[in-house]
Amino acid sequence: MLLKADELGRIEMTERSGVRVIRRDVMAARWWARTVARRAAAREARALAKLDGLDGVPALLGWDGHELLRGYIAGAPMQQAQPHDRAYYREALRLLARLHRRGVVRNDLAKEPNWLVRADGRPAVVDFQIAWTRGKRGALFRLLAREDLRHLLKHKRTYCPDALTARQRVILDTPAMHSRVWRATGKRVYKLIARRVFGYWDNEGQGRIRD
């Protein structure tokens, strides 16, 4: 079943040996975007390898430079499930902390489709193609990790605002300097390219289905 198709390739749900998997086909990308698509898939593979065995993250099943296979996690994307339960955000904070302890910063958690609500109400995180996976856990890592946290808290403010603590409200009110600069400058250019080139017209990064 086709989940997404755009200039960076195709993502589909399929089966391998009777097991449901998610397949990213880099070779289906436009010729001019294929290098970018391959690098993004390789970055996702590195992140999933570092997170191997972590509950709430897809398992890396294979990456050969052309096709990325990852495990399927049953659940609804956040914008559909709209989780109002405080327990969801407690577990999401724990999951985020585990990612960071493994040396991975997700970098794109502002997009609600990257969060899943599983059948039992627990969170999961998917789509690691722009995750930070290299280098030491220094000042830059901590800065980016804080932005991961702030993006999660923005969702908590949307769906479960009464559960925000005073400290969490302070974090929400103080975005990192690079985030403020990005919103004032680069974000406008990104939106222009995303909309004109890749057809991303919503705030959730979902691509159009390409003919």
Side-chain angles (χ1 to χ4, degrees):
M1 180 177 75
L2 180 64
L3 300 177
K4 177 180 176 181
D6 57 23
E7 278 70 7
L8 294 177
R10 294 166 58 89
I11 302 175
E12 60 187 15
M13 183 167 59
T14 184
E15 287 191 0
R16 295 291 172 91
S17 301
V19 177
R20 187 176 296 181
V21 301
I22 302 298
R23 175 178 180 265
R24 180 187 294 275
D25 181 9
V26 172
M27 299 310 293
R30 301 291 194 191
W31 65 268
W32 50 266
R34 199 162 292 160
T35 298
V36 174
R38 185 176 289 110
R39 288 178 177 174
R43 183 184 294 264
E44 181 167 22
R46 285 196 302 271
L48 295 182
K50 294 190 74 169
L51 299 172
D52 182 49
L54 183 61
D55 183 52
V57 174
L60 175 64
L61 303 178
W63 165 241
D64 62 4
H66 304 292
E67 174 187 81
L68 174 71
L69 294 177
R70 60 177 172 85
Y72 169 76
I73 298 179
M78 179 181 278
Q79 76 275 14
Q80 294 180 12
Q82 299 187 2
H84 299 288
D85 189 352
R86 293 175 180 229
Y88 177 87
Y89 299 96
R90 285 197 299 269
E91 288 299 320
L93 285 168
R94 293 188 184 110
L95 176 57
L96 197 53
R98 293 178 186 121
L99 260 66
H100 294 162
R101 282 198 294 269
R102 297 277 188 104
V104 175
V105 174
R106 178 57 184 72
N107 274 335
D108 200 20
L109 292 179
K111 296 176 181 177
E112 294 186 8
N114 293 336
W115 287 98
L116 297 183
V117 181
R118 293 185 274 180
D120 60 5
R122 292 182 299 155
V125 176
V126 297
D127 194 356
F128 284 77
Q129 60 181 333
I130 64 169
W132 172 284
T133 60
R134 297 186 182 277
K136 298 180 180 180
R137 295 175 59 183
L140 179 57
F141 181 94
R142 293 192 297 271
L143 183 69
L144 296 175
R146 185 183 185 276
E147 285 299 285
D148 270 358
L149 172 60
R150 195 173 65 86
H151 288 147
L152 171 58
L153 295 178
K154 288 171 68 175
H155 300 314
K156 185 177 181 179
R157 182 176 60 190
T158 298
Y159 297 113
C160 195
D162 293 342
L164 285 168
T165 66
R167 179 176 177 273
Q168 289 172 349
R169 292 184 184 278
V170 170
I171 293 173
L172 279 168
D173 292 339
T174 54
M177 177 59 72
H178 79 278
S179 179
R180 295 196 293 270
V181 172
W182 166 253
R183 284 187 293 177
T185 57
K187 190 172 183 179
R188 296 178 182 178
V189 177
Y190 165 80
K191 282 188 173 181
L192 179 64
I193 294 173
R195 291 173 178 178
R196 295 290 179 85
V197 178
F198 297 106
Y200 297 162
W201 285 92
D202 54 50
N203 289 325
E204 295 154 2
Q206 297 185 46
R208 62 187 174 220
I209 297 298
R210 193 183 72 201
D211 294 334

